[in-house]
Amino acid sequence: FFITIYHIMMKLVCLFSCLAIHISTAFIVTNNGRCGRGLLSPSYGTLDGRTIDGEFTPVNDMVLIKLDSKEQQTEGGLILTSKVKVKSNEGTVMATGPGKINQETGFAFDMPLSTGEKVVYGRYVGTEAVYNGAPHVLIQDSDILVKYLGEKLNLETVEMLRDNVLVKIEKKDDAESMGGILLAKSSTGKPAPTMGEVVKVGPGRYAMNGSLMEMDVEAGDMIRFRDLSGNTVEIDDQEYSVVRMNEILAKF
């Protein structure tokens, strides 16, 4: 008699346990607060306002960057509100893909960035996304201009990637004709090449076969590079230009 009661109680325990599991997996709370049917899975946050059920991970040579939210100030000292802020091109690396794979040789390029590093990237690149309520951007690692650790970008913390070269810009005065008339750049016909001093140099770019191509310039060299090439980066209130090795025409 007692054995029979024991078996009945064990069956009831199992029944209630299965019922509880079924209920917990059968109903989940949707974004609008209502209950719906489906498998209860851990939430990995939101992407563009939608709850996602998997980790948001970049692939290939893509990099997920959380944009800086620091206040921006005009030259006159006015603080810009969020509605009129200039789009920031700085942020923190939140996640990276494994790196690009050459489609012809199969060589796997390394990913030169790590989570937590600060970066400055080129303007008008990448795909914007609102991840967990914060603005992010997905871009290729080749669009990163410089990286650094810490809160402040300066010449000690800045590092160059691939074949990027950091150049201190040599500003030139307006061109002058033989008659002494100042000419605008657009009226001189050919745009004047740009010159500057090499400050820092990246490790180099990989060839298709995976070999690292050495850089032909080093810190201290004066170089001349193509007009309208490179991207401007401000470091310690000084303008620098980031150019690629194939944009450099000569050194002296």
Side-chain angles (χ1 to χ4, degrees):
F1 173 76
F2 291 107
I3 296 177
T4 303
I5 294 177
Y6 173 77
H7 284 299
I8 293 174
M9 291 179 64
M10 291 299 296
K11 287 182 180 180
L12 288 173
V13 172
C14 292
L15 177 62
F16 281 115
S17 298
C18 292
L19 181 60
I21 294 174
H22 175 73
I23 293 175
S24 65
T25 57
F27 295 93
I28 58 174
V29 178
T30 59
N31 288 336
N32 59 12
R34 298 178 180 178
C35 290
R37 296 189 63 85
L39 180 63
L40 183 64
S41 58
S43 173
Y44 287 85
T46 59
L47 178 62
D48 294 333
R50 175 183 177 180
T51 300
I52 56 177
D53 297 327
E55 188 174 356
F56 191 47
T57 306
V59 299
N60 300 324
D61 58 345
M62 302 303 295
V63 182
L64 178 65
I65 298 172
K66 184 177 181 180
L67 302 185
D68 280 352
S69 58
K70 60 184 179 182
E71 290 182 323
Q72 296 186 6
Q73 189 170 328
T74 65
E75 292 183 359
L78 297 176
I79 300 296
L80 301 178
T81 64
S82 58
K83 291 184 178 180
V84 296
K85 281 182 181 178
V86 179
K87 179 183 175 184
S88 174
N89 64 328
E90 297 183 37
T92 304
V93 177
M94 305 303 293
T96 69
K100 182 180 179 180
I101 297 179
N102 188 286
Q103 298 297 319
E104 296 183 8
T105 64
F107 176 75
F109 296 90
D110 67 314
M111 170 56 67
L113 297 161
S114 301
T115 301
E117 291 181 322
K118 300 291 187 69
V119 297
V120 179
Y121 57 90
R123 295 188 182 275
Y124 314 114
V125 298
T127 300
E128 297 179 357
V130 179
Y131 181 48
N132 288 337
H136 289 68
V137 64
L138 279 164
I139 63 175
Q140 293 179 292
D141 62 14
S142 57
D143 290 322
I144 304 293
L145 302 178
V146 300
K147 68 176 183 178
Y148 64 99
L149 286 173
E151 296 300 321
K152 185 174 175 59
L153 171 63
N154 53 50
L155 290 180
E156 294 182 1
T157 60
V158 66
E159 294 184 28
M160 311 307 297
L161 285 72
R162 308 294 191 201
D163 60 343
N164 285 352
V165 179
L166 185 65
V167 182
K168 186 176 181 180
I169 300 173
E170 181 181 270
K171 296 183 178 180
K172 297 181 64 176
D173 296 332
D174 293 334
E176 186 173 329
S177 67
M178 294 181 64
I181 300 175
L182 291 178
L183 301 176
K185 287 185 177 180
S186 59
S187 64
T188 58
K190 298 180 180 180
T194 306
M195 290 189 292
E197 179 184 356
V198 175
V199 178
K200 285 199 173 183
V201 179
R205 180 171 293 275
Y206 287 103
M208 292 180 60
N209 62 0
S211 60
L212 186 65
M213 297 183 289
E214 295 183 1
M215 302 290 282
D216 292 332
V217 297
E218 60 184 10
D221 288 343
M222 292 295 294
I223 61 172
R224 195 165 190 172
F225 55 95
R226 299 183 188 277
D227 188 49
L228 303 180
S229 63
N231 289 269
T232 301
V233 176
E234 186 174 301
I235 303 176
D236 292 333
D237 298 324
Q238 171 75 44
E239 280 193 357
Y240 293 82
S241 184
V242 177
V243 298
R244 300 188 181 217
M245 190 63 224
N246 60 5
E247 296 171 335
I248 298 175
L249 303 176
K251 64 180 181 179
F252 56 95

